Amino acid sequence: MSGLLTKSWFLAVLALVIMLGTQVGSYVLYRDKIFPADKDVLVIKREDPSPIGWNFSSDDLKRLKSDLDKRVAKIAEREANLVTYEARLQSDRIEIEEIKAEIERMRDTLMKDVVEIEAWEGKNLKALADTYGNLDPEATVSIFKELDDATVAKILRFMKPATIGDILQEMAQQGGGNEAMIKRAAKLSNILRLSRDDLQAKK
């Protein structure tokens, strides 16, 4: 035994055994202090939040989508109709402008024709006035009976005042002072007066 105590390895093993024994004894003695018993712990449980209510079924969603699709289709149809309407308006506007231009051309042509006709009529009336002015007042009045007042007044406008006076006097005296002829002479005199007033106003 004394021989073992002199061995270094024996001493090392003995020291290790003593150390382990000391630790085991300490663990047994102080176990309750190192690892105390579990105490009652107040545990507060959180209530689960209420689930969000979702009342739409798949059928409701399908119906809603169908309604939205129909509205979108109607809006698209209205937009297409508006585009068509605008195009038609533009076409009508162009057509109206063309018609307006054609009317203006026709008006210009008509005015030109009217001026030419008036010039031609003026030449003819002047020629008639010269012809009737060279006739006797009685013959001229006989011819004027077959013409309307407007035509007679136009012819008289191209005659000299003295010639006009002789013709109107003959009208008033024909038939022994025929009332109808007297009224016609007065009417023609008034027409000539108004036409002269118009000419002076234009000047």
Side-chain angles (χ1 to χ4, degrees), residues 61-183:
L61 291 176
K62 290 180 180 178
R63 187 163 48 253
L64 180 60
K65 183 179 182 301
S66 177
D67 292 340
L68 290 175
D69 291 341
K70 290 180 180 179
R71 292 184 182 181
V72 171
K74 287 183 178 179
I75 293 174
E77 183 180 359
R78 289 180 181 177
E79 290 179 351
N81 291 336
L82 284 176
V83 171
T84 303
Y85 181 69
E86 290 178 356
R88 186 165 61 250
L89 282 180
Q90 182 65 20
S91 177
D92 292 343
R93 189 179 296 110
I94 294 174
E95 185 177 356
I96 290 172
E97 291 296 330
E98 292 176 352
I99 294 174
K100 181 180 177 182
E102 181 64 23
I103 291 174
E104 290 179 353
R105 286 193 295 269
M106 292 175 62
R107 183 192 62 186
D108 294 340
T109 302
L110 181 61
M111 291 300 296
K112 182 179 179 181
D113 293 341
V114 168
V115 172
E116 292 178 354
I117 291 172
E118 288 180 349
W120 176 80
E121 184 183 21
K123 291 180 181 179
N124 288 340
L125 290 173
K126 189 175 185 306
L128 289 174
D130 292 340
T131 300
Y132 295 151
N134 293 326
L135 298 176
D136 292 334
E138 183 178 357
T140 302
V141 171
S142 298
I143 295 173
F144 282 176
K145 287 180 181 179
E146 305 300 325
L147 301 176
D148 59 86
D149 292 343
T151 303
V152 172
K154 289 179 180 179
I155 294 172
L156 291 175
R157 285 177 57 187
F158 289 94
M159 291 182 177
K160 296 179 181 179
T163 304
I164 295 173
D166 293 339
I167 293 173
L168 293 178
Q169 183 178 0
E170 179 63 27
M171 280 186 179
Q173 293 177 353
Q174 265 193 7
N178 185 284
E179 184 178 357
M181 293 298 292
I182 293 174
K183 288 183 177 180

